[in-house]
Amino acid sequence: MSEVQEREVVIIGGGAAGLTAAMYAVRYGLNSVLLTEGAPGGQTATAATIENYPGFPDGVSGAELMARLTQQAENTGVEMESVRANAMERDGERWQLLTDGPSYSAAAVILCVGASPRRLKVPGEEELFGHGVSYCATCDGFFYRDRTIAIVGGGNTAIEEALYLADIAEKVYVIHRRDELRADAVLAQRVEDTDNLEVIWDSVVTQVNGDDLIESVTLHNQKTGEDSTLKLEGLFVSIGFEPNTEFVADLLELEDGFIVTDQRMATSQPGIFAAGDVRVTPLRQITTAVGDGAIAADSAHKYVSERR
Ligand SMILES: Cc1cc2nc3c(=O)[nH]c(=O)nc-3n(C[C@H](O)[C@H](O)[C@H](O)COP(=O)(O)OP(=O)(O)OC[C@H]3O[C@@H](n4cnc5c(N)ncnc54)[C@H](O)[C@@H]3O)c2cc1C
């Protein structure tokens, strides 16, 4: 069996939350390591342009922002290992971490493993991602001023995003697979009251069409069985997120797969903290992820200091 590496704090996940938590951990003088699957950067590295992260008046590409943050973490002295965490278990007062590389033993663990927007999984979606297909209305809605767009979904988040987009775009279609919205009645009423919002009921997107940019989507009406084409310039997909929590599902209190924390980012287990998109939170953004990461490191520092 390979040697177990001992640390005061292990941070898992190299996105905005994890890189921030790791920098704070180093600055608190904690003996720590950041484990991340593949290269650091997380979801943000895949975003074409970030316009709502403070300090970049002309916007910044997601790749550049995360390259800068990674550089900053390295300059701060963060130790980074490119491994995937596969399992976690209690070992007395400490936590044992099994990865596809070495094993780790830590007094505290900060989980920053993120979540991924659920995909439609239809032809054309992946090819036109960033070319009209988006998973984040707050991030990309601004680019669709006076355009015709659609949002897929019928829950509270999708409808809140549809109402937000209706203030920007000329016309917003809501494509929903059922004959009534799952969203709260008050939101559903606002949809009815908004002139440039139109719901396309009982329908699913079966294909996203376009060469370099999205041009239309193919819709299938589940009740009538009819297929149709809807011309549009943008497609927002808002059908939920999939948190990367399978490896801690039996260990921690979860809500819809997301980790429940208090405002100090403490989870249901002593010494385990969570930050960023992976936790139950009202807003999943870079700003909130870095804030969570800083708080989680502060909490881990207090937890470890009390036990030294
Ligand atoms: C296309 C797109 C555009 C966006 N645009 C914006 C925007 O304009 N503004 C904005 O504020 N937000 C935007 N967001 C949202 C923002 O990217 C997220 O809120 C942010 O990335 C959350 O950071 P995080 O660190 O919590 O998680 P993530 O960025 O998801 O990072 C999680 C990290 O954990 C790693 N990981 C997962 N499981 C394991 C494991 N078992 N072991 C080791 N490592 C693991 C992953 O590889 C990844 O590096 C966008 C998101 C997307 C997808």
Side-chain angles (χ1 to χ4, degrees), residues 74-102:
E74 281 169 2
N75 294 351
T76 307
V78 170
E79 183 192 342
M80 260 181 251
E81 295 296 337
S82 181
V83 291
R84 178 185 167 77
N86 290 324
M88 254 177 89
E89 56 191 44
R90 212 175 213 316
D91 177 18
E93 289 270 285
R94 297 176 69 83
W95 292 100
Q96 286 278 358
L97 270 161
L98 303 181
T99 76
D100 53 13

mmCIF file of all heavy atoms in Angstrom, residues 74-102:
data_model
loop_
_atom_site.group_PDB
_atom_site.id
_atom_site.type_symbol
_atom_site.label_atom_id
_atom_site.label_comp_id
_atom_site.label_asym_id
_atom_site.label_seq_id
_atom_site.Cartn_x
_atom_site.Cartn_y
_atom_site.Cartn_z
ATOM 1 N N GLU A 74 -0.257 29.647 -7.120
ATOM 2 C CA GLU A 74 1.118 29.121 -7.141
ATOM 3 C C GLU A 74 2.076 30.114 -6.479
ATOM 4 O O GLU A 74 2.934 29.732 -5.680
ATOM 5 C CB GLU A 74 1.553 28.831 -8.582
ATOM 6 C CG GLU A 74 0.968 27.513 -9.070
ATOM 7 C CD GLU A 74 1.132 27.293 -10.585
ATOM 8 O OE1 GLU A 74 1.735 28.158 -11.270
ATOM 9 O OE2 GLU A 74 0.629 26.264 -11.069
ATOM 10 N N ASN A 75 1.904 31.409 -6.808
ATOM 11 C CA ASN A 75 2.767 32.433 -6.203
ATOM 12 C C ASN A 75 2.604 32.480 -4.684
ATOM 13 O O ASN A 75 3.531 32.817 -3.956
ATOM 14 C CB ASN A 75 2.445 33.819 -6.765
ATOM 15 C CG ASN A 75 2.773 33.931 -8.240
ATOM 16 O OD1 ASN A 75 3.392 33.035 -8.810
ATOM 17 N ND2 ASN A 75 2.344 35.022 -8.871
ATOM 18 N N THR A 76 1.398 32.146 -4.220
ATOM 19 C CA THR A 76 1.134 32.172 -2.773
ATOM 20 C C THR A 76 1.764 30.956 -2.091
ATOM 21 O O THR A 76 1.893 30.925 -0.867
ATOM 22 C CB THR A 76 -0.404 32.186 -2.534
ATOM 23 O OG1 THR A 76 -0.974 33.246 -3.291
ATOM 24 C CG2 THR A 76 -0.764 32.404 -1.085
ATOM 25 N N GLY A 77 2.086 29.941 -2.886
ATOM 26 C CA GLY A 77 2.713 28.749 -2.306
ATOM 27 C C GLY A 77 1.770 27.568 -2.170
ATOM 28 O O GLY A 77 2.059 26.618 -1.429
ATOM 29 N N VAL A 78 0.652 27.614 -2.885
ATOM 30 C CA VAL A 78 -0.294 26.486 -2.831
ATOM 31 C C VAL A 78 0.345 25.255 -3.484
ATOM 32 O O VAL A 78 0.873 25.339 -4.594
ATOM 33 C CB VAL A 78 -1.609 26.847 -3.560
ATOM 34 C CG1 VAL A 78 -2.498 25.608 -3.734
ATOM 35 C CG2 VAL A 78 -2.351 27.954 -2.818
ATOM 36 N N GLU A 79 0.280 24.135 -2.772
ATOM 37 C CA GLU A 79 0.741 22.855 -3.343
ATOM 38 C C GLU A 79 -0.453 22.211 -4.050
ATOM 39 O O GLU A 79 -1.519 22.055 -3.448
ATOM 40 C CB GLU A 79 1.237 21.950 -2.202
ATOM 41 C CG GLU A 79 1.812 20.637 -2.665
ATOM 42 C CD GLU A 79 2.035 19.648 -1.515
ATOM 43 O OE1 GLU A 79 2.076 20.080 -0.347
ATOM 44 O OE2 GLU A 79 2.157 18.452 -1.795
ATOM 45 N N MET A 80 -0.268 21.893 -5.341
ATOM 46 C CA MET A 80 -1.386 21.354 -6.119
ATOM 47 C C MET A 80 -1.051 19.981 -6.660
ATOM 48 O O MET A 80 0.045 19.772 -7.172
ATOM 49 C CB MET A 80 -1.638 22.262 -7.335
ATOM 50 C CG MET A 80 -2.782 23.208 -7.158
ATOM 51 S SD MET A 80 -3.004 24.186 -8.641
ATOM 52 C CE MET A 80 -2.459 25.777 -8.066
ATOM 53 N N GLU A 81 -1.994 19.055 -6.544
ATOM 54 C CA GLU A 81 -1.811 17.719 -7.118
ATOM 55 C C GLU A 81 -2.969 17.427 -8.055
ATOM 56 O O GLU A 81 -4.130 17.685 -7.702
ATOM 57 C CB GLU A 81 -1.785 16.647 -6.017
ATOM 58 C CG GLU A 81 -0.607 16.745 -5.068
ATOM 59 C CD GLU A 81 0.744 16.528 -5.734
ATOM 60 O OE1 GLU A 81 0.786 15.892 -6.801
ATOM 61 O OE2 GLU A 81 1.752 17.016 -5.187
ATOM 62 N N SER A 82 -2.626 16.893 -9.225
ATOM 63 C CA SER A 82 -3.662 16.595 -10.202
ATOM 64 C C SER A 82 -4.155 15.152 -10.014
ATOM 65 O O SER A 82 -3.691 14.236 -10.689
ATOM 66 C CB SER A 82 -3.067 16.798 -11.599
ATOM 67 O OG SER A 82 -4.036 16.533 -12.547
ATOM 68 N N VAL A 83 -5.058 14.972 -9.061
ATOM 69 C CA VAL A 83 -5.626 13.637 -8.801
ATOM 70 C C VAL A 83 -7.121 13.763 -8.536
ATOM 71 O O VAL A 83 -7.608 14.829 -8.161
ATOM 72 C CB VAL A 83 -4.978 12.932 -7.571
ATOM 73 C CG1 VAL A 83 -3.549 12.543 -7.835
ATOM 74 C CG2 VAL A 83 -5.104 13.790 -6.320
ATOM 75 N N ARG A 84 -7.818 12.665 -8.718
ATOM 76 C CA ARG A 84 -9.256 12.630 -8.449
ATOM 77 C C ARG A 84 -9.489 11.990 -7.078
ATOM 78 O O ARG A 84 -8.937 10.928 -6.794
ATOM 79 C CB ARG A 84 -9.948 11.812 -9.535
ATOM 80 C CG ARG A 84 -11.422 11.674 -9.338
ATOM 81 C CD ARG A 84 -12.052 10.749 -10.372
ATOM 82 N NE ARG A 84 -13.396 10.411 -9.947
ATOM 83 C CZ ARG A 84 -14.436 11.218 -10.045
ATOM 84 N NH1 ARG A 84 -14.305 12.401 -10.590
ATOM 85 N NH2 ARG A 84 -15.626 10.854 -9.608
ATOM 86 N N ALA A 85 -10.306 12.636 -6.250
ATOM 87 C CA ALA A 85 -10.682 12.030 -4.963
ATOM 88 C C ALA A 85 -11.804 11.037 -5.216
ATOM 89 O O ALA A 85 -12.794 11.374 -5.868
ATOM 90 C CB ALA A 85 -11.142 13.117 -3.995
ATOM 91 N N ASN A 86 -11.630 9.816 -4.717
ATOM 92 C CA ASN A 86 -12.623 8.770 -4.995
ATOM 93 C C ASN A 86 -13.460 8.374 -3.792
ATOM 94 O O ASN A 86 -14.580 7.898 -3.950
ATOM 95 C CB ASN A 86 -11.925 7.514 -5.534
ATOM 96 C CG ASN A 86 -11.374 7.760 -6.926
ATOM 97 O OD1 ASN A 86 -11.990 8.476 -7.715
ATOM 98 N ND2 ASN A 86 -10.211 7.209 -7.208
ATOM 99 N N ALA A 87 -12.894 8.529 -2.594
ATOM 100 C CA ALA A 87 -13.633 8.125 -1.393
ATOM 101 C C ALA A 87 -13.071 8.833 -0.165
ATOM 102 O O ALA A 87 -11.910 9.249 -0.163
ATOM 103 C CB ALA A 87 -13.533 6.610 -1.211
ATOM 104 N N MET A 88 -13.929 8.957 0.836
ATOM 105 C CA MET A 88 -13.526 9.605 2.090
ATOM 106 C C MET A 88 -14.075 8.799 3.239
ATOM 107 O O MET A 88 -15.226 8.378 3.196
ATOM 108 C CB MET A 88 -14.195 10.987 2.156
ATOM 109 C CG MET A 88 -13.276 12.123 1.922
ATOM 110 S SD MET A 88 -14.210 13.640 1.954
ATOM 111 C CE MET A 88 -14.127 14.006 3.667
ATOM 112 N N GLU A 89 -13.249 8.577 4.272
ATOM 113 C CA GLU A 89 -13.796 7.892 5.447
ATOM 114 C C GLU A 89 -13.142 8.415 6.719
ATOM 115 O O GLU A 89 -12.027 8.935 6.697
ATOM 116 C CB GLU A 89 -13.645 6.375 5.331
ATOM 117 C CG GLU A 89 -12.229 5.910 5.112
ATOM 118 C CD GLU A 89 -12.170 4.434 4.727
ATOM 119 O OE1 GLU A 89 -12.992 4.015 3.881
ATOM 120 O OE2 GLU A 89 -11.308 3.740 5.279
ATOM 121 N N ARG A 90 -13.876 8.265 7.833
ATOM 122 C CA ARG A 90 -13.395 8.742 9.114
ATOM 123 C C ARG A 90 -12.290 7.828 9.633
ATOM 124 O O ARG A 90 -12.362 6.612 9.464
ATOM 125 C CB ARG A 90 -14.552 8.725 10.099
ATOM 126 C CG ARG A 90 -14.437 9.809 11.115
ATOM 127 C CD ARG A 90 -15.631 9.881 12.004
ATOM 128 N NE ARG A 90 -15.929 11.245 12.414
ATOM 129 C CZ ARG A 90 -15.056 12.137 12.816
ATOM 130 N NH1 ARG A 90 -13.767 11.875 12.832
ATOM 131 N NH2 ARG A 90 -15.427 13.334 13.180
ATOM 132 N N ASP A 91 -11.279 8.435 10.264
ATOM 133 C CA ASP A 91 -10.222 7.649 10.894
ATOM 134 C C ASP A 91 -9.951 8.324 12.236
ATOM 135 O O ASP A 91 -9.113 9.223 12.324
ATOM 136 C CB ASP A 91 -8.978 7.651 9.984
ATOM 137 C CG ASP A 91 -7.822 6.914 10.623
ATOM 138 O OD1 ASP A 91 -8.063 6.131 11.561
ATOM 139 O OD2 ASP A 91 -6.671 7.141 10.183
ATOM 140 N N GLY A 92 -10.707 7.941 13.267
ATOM 141 C CA GLY A 92 -10.616 8.614 14.570
ATOM 142 C C GLY A 92 -11.030 10.055 14.426
ATOM 143 O O GLY A 92 -12.126 10.348 13.944
ATOM 144 N N GLU A 93 -10.130 10.968 14.792
ATOM 145 C CA GLU A 93 -10.414 12.401 14.701
ATOM 146 C C GLU A 93 -10.142 12.955 13.307
ATOM 147 O O GLU A 93 -10.411 14.118 13.025
ATOM 148 C CB GLU A 93 -9.501 13.164 15.689
ATOM 149 C CG GLU A 93 -9.828 12.971 17.135
ATOM 150 C CD GLU A 93 -10.822 14.006 17.621
ATOM 151 O OE1 GLU A 93 -10.417 15.159 17.813
ATOM 152 O OE2 GLU A 93 -12.012 13.644 17.787
ATOM 153 N N ARG A 94 -9.533 12.118 12.444
ATOM 154 C CA ARG A 94 -9.097 12.607 11.138
ATOM 155 C C ARG A 94 -9.939 12.013 10.007
ATOM 156 O O ARG A 94 -10.806 11.155 10.229
ATOM 157 C CB ARG A 94 -7.604 12.261 10.915
ATOM 158 C CG ARG A 94 -6.705 12.956 11.932
ATOM 159 C CD ARG A 94 -5.266 12.528 11.768
ATOM 160 N NE ARG A 94 -4.653 13.019 10.529
ATOM 161 C CZ ARG A 94 -4.122 14.231 10.370
ATOM 162 N NH1 ARG A 94 -4.126 15.087 11.369
ATOM 163 N NH2 ARG A 94 -3.581 14.576 9.224
ATOM 164 N N TRP A 95 -9.650 12.474 8.780
ATOM 165 C CA TRP A 95 -10.336 11.968 7.593
ATOM 166 C C TRP A 95 -9.312 11.349 6.647
ATOM 167 O O TRP A 95 -8.260 11.947 6.404
ATOM 168 C CB TRP A 95 -11.102 13.085 6.882
ATOM 169 C CG TRP A 95 -12.260 13.567 7.700
ATOM 170 C CD1 TRP A 95 -12.312 14.677 8.481
ATOM 171 C CD2 TRP A 95 -13.522 12.917 7.834
ATOM 172 N NE1 TRP A 95 -13.522 14.769 9.110
ATOM 173 C CE2 TRP A 95 -14.299 13.697 8.729
ATOM 174 C CE3 TRP A 95 -14.090 11.747 7.311
ATOM 175 C CZ2 TRP A 95 -15.595 13.346 9.092
ATOM 176 C CZ3 TRP A 95 -15.384 11.413 7.667
ATOM 177 C CH2 TRP A 95 -16.115 12.201 8.558
ATOM 178 N N GLN A 96 -9.640 10.179 6.156
ATOM 179 C CA GLN A 96 -8.790 9.501 5.168
ATOM 180 C C GLN A 96 -9.373 9.751 3.790
ATOM 181 O O GLN A 96 -10.588 9.620 3.603
ATOM 182 C CB GLN A 96 -8.811 7.977 5.388
ATOM 183 C CG GLN A 96 -8.036 7.486 6.582
ATOM 184 C CD GLN A 96 -6.556 7.342 6.299
ATOM 185 O OE1 GLN A 96 -6.108 7.582 5.174
ATOM 186 N NE2 GLN A 96 -5.785 6.984 7.323
ATOM 187 N N LEU A 97 -8.491 10.061 2.849
ATOM 188 C CA LEU A 97 -8.943 10.346 1.486
ATOM 189 C C LEU A 97 -8.270 9.411 0.507
ATOM 190 O O LEU A 97 -7.044 9.341 0.465
ATOM 191 C CB LEU A 97 -8.517 11.764 1.119
ATOM 192 C CG LEU A 97 -9.491 12.858 1.451
ATOM 193 C CD1 LEU A 97 -8.774 14.172 1.474
ATOM 194 C CD2 LEU A 97 -10.575 12.842 0.393
ATOM 195 N N LEU A 98 -9.080 8.704 -0.250
ATOM 196 C CA LEU A 98 -8.515 7.821 -1.270
ATOM 197 C C LEU A 98 -8.640 8.520 -2.616
ATOM 198 O O LEU A 98 -9.714 9.031 -2.958
ATOM 199 C CB LEU A 98 -9.269 6.496 -1.301
ATOM 200 C CG LEU A 98 -9.300 5.734 0.027
ATOM 201 C CD1 LEU A 98 -10.056 4.426 -0.125
ATOM 202 C CD2 LEU A 98 -7.876 5.456 0.525
ATOM 203 N N THR A 99 -7.527 8.543 -3.358
ATOM 204 C CA THR A 99 -7.545 9.200 -4.668
ATOM 205 C C THR A 99 -7.013 8.210 -5.709
ATOM 206 O O THR A 99 -6.623 7.094 -5.364
ATOM 207 C CB THR A 99 -6.638 10.455 -4.683
ATOM 208 O OG1 THR A 99 -5.276 10.035 -4.758
ATOM 209 C CG2 THR A 99 -6.831 11.322 -3.450
ATOM 210 N N ASP A 100 -6.961 8.639 -6.960
ATOM 211 C CA ASP A 100 -6.350 7.753 -7.947
ATOM 212 C C ASP A 100 -4.824 7.899 -7.933
ATOM 213 O O ASP A 100 -4.132 7.307 -8.745
ATOM 214 C CB ASP A 100 -6.955 7.942 -9.346
ATOM 215 C CG ASP A 100 -6.931 9.384 -9.800
ATOM 216 O OD1 ASP A 100 -6.228 10.201 -9.145
ATOM 217 O OD2 ASP A 100 -7.601 9.705 -10.796
ATOM 218 N N GLY A 101 -4.305 8.692 -6.983
ATOM 219 C CA GLY A 101 -2.865 8.793 -6.723
ATOM 220 C C GLY A 101 -2.621 8.378 -5.285
ATOM 221 O O GLY A 101 -3.161 7.356 -4.838
ATOM 222 N N PRO A 102 -1.879 9.185 -4.535
ATOM 223 C CA PRO A 102 -1.607 8.831 -3.142
ATOM 224 C C PRO A 102 -2.862 8.948 -2.266
ATOM 225 O O PRO A 102 -3.829 9.583 -2.663
ATOM 226 C CB PRO A 102 -0.565 9.867 -2.703
ATOM 227 C CG PRO A 102 -0.318 10.753 -3.842
ATOM 228 C CD PRO A 102 -1.238 10.415 -4.955
#
